[in-house]
Amino acid sequence: MHADCNLSQTLQDRINTMLGAHSRVAYTGTLLLERNQHREFVDVRSGNGGSGANLRRLNDAPGSPPIAYPSEHVTTVEACELAEHYVFASAPGDTVGGRETLRLSARPRDPLRFGYVMDLDKQFGLPLRVVTATADGQMLERYEFASIEISATPDSSQSRLPQIDSDFALSELPPGFKLIASRTQPMPAMIVSDGLAAATVFIESVEQIIQPGEGGLNEGSTVSYTRGVNGPRGGILVTVVGEIPMVTARLLADAVRVQQN
């Protein structure tokens, strides 16, 4: 608990409930996803206790297989710590997917993260409608459940994604971001989050020397940034994918270090 936390107890409780909601519920539903002036409907079926979800785009061809979406909803912070990087406010929410909601907005205190307006399920705290926007209020992406069924599951909020020894590490992360998981297969990857925003840093080693350079692509609130660098044993391709600004993706790529064996 932060002694200088300026959030009311009610607002702290609302934020903390939202942060842990994915670990306490299972849900199925249909949501509308809107970004880059494109709209699509997605069928979502979550696993129990934040174990991931299967997504099926209803605009795809009939019979298209669902896409497995691993969960990155790992609670690493509490409300007062998040308040160091976001300004929070609450208000009454709309009815979303036939359920009552409470509105929570999060305005970033710096350009390293986006802002959010979230309508949270009144019973479980699960976000049912989320608008992601730039710091100056430009909407990047919106999703909203048209229908949803939610059920409680055993609380798995204490579970953590695995930390695995790797040839690579992250140092000097952007303020507020923490390493929450890492893996080595099918390629080295490290997942970071500030509690709301999350990104994955993928690293691919190549034997030959490569031409240094960078490239980036935005799709709604999702950025994909790739940089080629030369390490002590050849070239390295660093790719950062997440719902973060491009400047944050560059800082995460800057933070990649080769471990000294």
Side-chain angles (χ1 to χ4, degrees), residues 14 89-94 101-105 117-120 129:
R14 186 172 300 183
S90 61
D94 298 329
T101 70
L102 300 169
R103 181 159 296 173
L104 178 68
S105 63
V117 178
M118 299 170 279
D119 283 345
L120 311 178
R129 176 197 287 144

Side-chain angles (χ1 to χ4, degrees), residues 48-69:
N48 290 339
S51 60
N54 287 325
L55 311 180
R56 186 167 61 89
R57 293 185 170 92
L58 301 182
N59 301 77
D60 287 349
S64 297
I67 301 170
Y69 189 84

Side-chain angles (χ1 to χ4, degrees), residues 4-176:
D4 57 349
C5 182
N6 59 0
L7 298 175
S8 69
Q9 189 61 53
T10 298
L11 194 49
Q12 289 183 51
D13 292 344
R14 186 172 300 183
I15 295 168
N16 287 331
T17 299
M18 178 271 297
L19 290 173
H22 284 274
S23 67
R24 295 192 300 267
V25 302
Y27 56 92
T28 62
T30 301
L31 62 82
L32 170 66
L33 175 62
E34 184 177 9
R35 59 187 177 187
N36 294 350
Q37 299 182 337
H38 175 72
R39 304 172 71 202
E40 64 176 329
F41 289 91
V42 181
D43 181 72
V44 182
R45 298 180 181 274
S46 83
N48 290 339
S51 60
N54 287 325
L55 311 180
R56 186 167 61 89
R57 293 185 170 92
L58 301 182
N59 301 77
D60 287 349
S64 297
I67 301 170
Y69 189 84
S71 175
E72 295 179 3
H73 296 284
V74 178
T75 304
T76 59
V77 299
E78 293 187 347
C80 289
E81 189 173 352
L82 266 182
E84 296 178 9
H85 306 287
Y86 296 90
V87 177
F88 288 99
S90 61
D94 298 329
T95 299
V96 180
R99 299 181 68 91
E100 291 185 87
T101 70
L102 300 169
R103 181 159 296 173
L104 178 68
S105 63
R107 179 168 52 86
R109 296 184 183 271
D110 57 43
L112 300 178
R113 59 208 92 226
F114 294 134
Y116 305 91
V117 178
M118 299 170 279
D119 283 345
L120 311 178
D121 183 78
K122 192 172 183 179
Q123 180 180 1
F124 294 105
L126 186 73
L128 302 183
R129 176 197 287 144
V130 178
V131 175
T132 306
T134 61
D136 59 4
Q138 177 186 356
M139 190 186 86
L140 297 170
E141 184 172 302
R142 175 176 75 94
Y143 78 75
E144 177 178 347
F145 277 95
S147 63
I148 187 170
E149 295 182 3
I150 309 174
S151 59
T153 65
D155 189 352
S156 60
S157 59
Q158 298 305 311
S159 64
R160 290 291 183 269
L161 295 175
Q163 303 284 341
I164 300 174
D165 290 337
S166 170
D167 292 336
F168 304 95
L170 293 174
S171 66
E172 300 179 6
L173 290 173

Side-chain angles (χ1 to χ4, degrees), residues 161-169 179 181-191 200-205 259 261:
L161 295 175
Q163 303 284 341
I164 300 174
D165 290 337
S166 170
D167 292 336
F168 304 95
L179 177 66
S182 61
R183 62 176 183 263
T184 58
Q185 297 296 329
M187 69 173 63
M190 292 170 281
I191 301 170
T200 303
V201 182
F202 300 95
I203 304 169
E204 182 179 0
S205 298
Q259 299 271 46
N261 295 327

Side-chain angles (χ1 to χ4, degrees), residues 203-215:
I203 304 169
E204 182 179 0
S205 298
V206 292
E207 294 183 359
Q208 68 271 24
I209 299 299
I210 61 176
Q211 184 69 30
E214 65 175 0

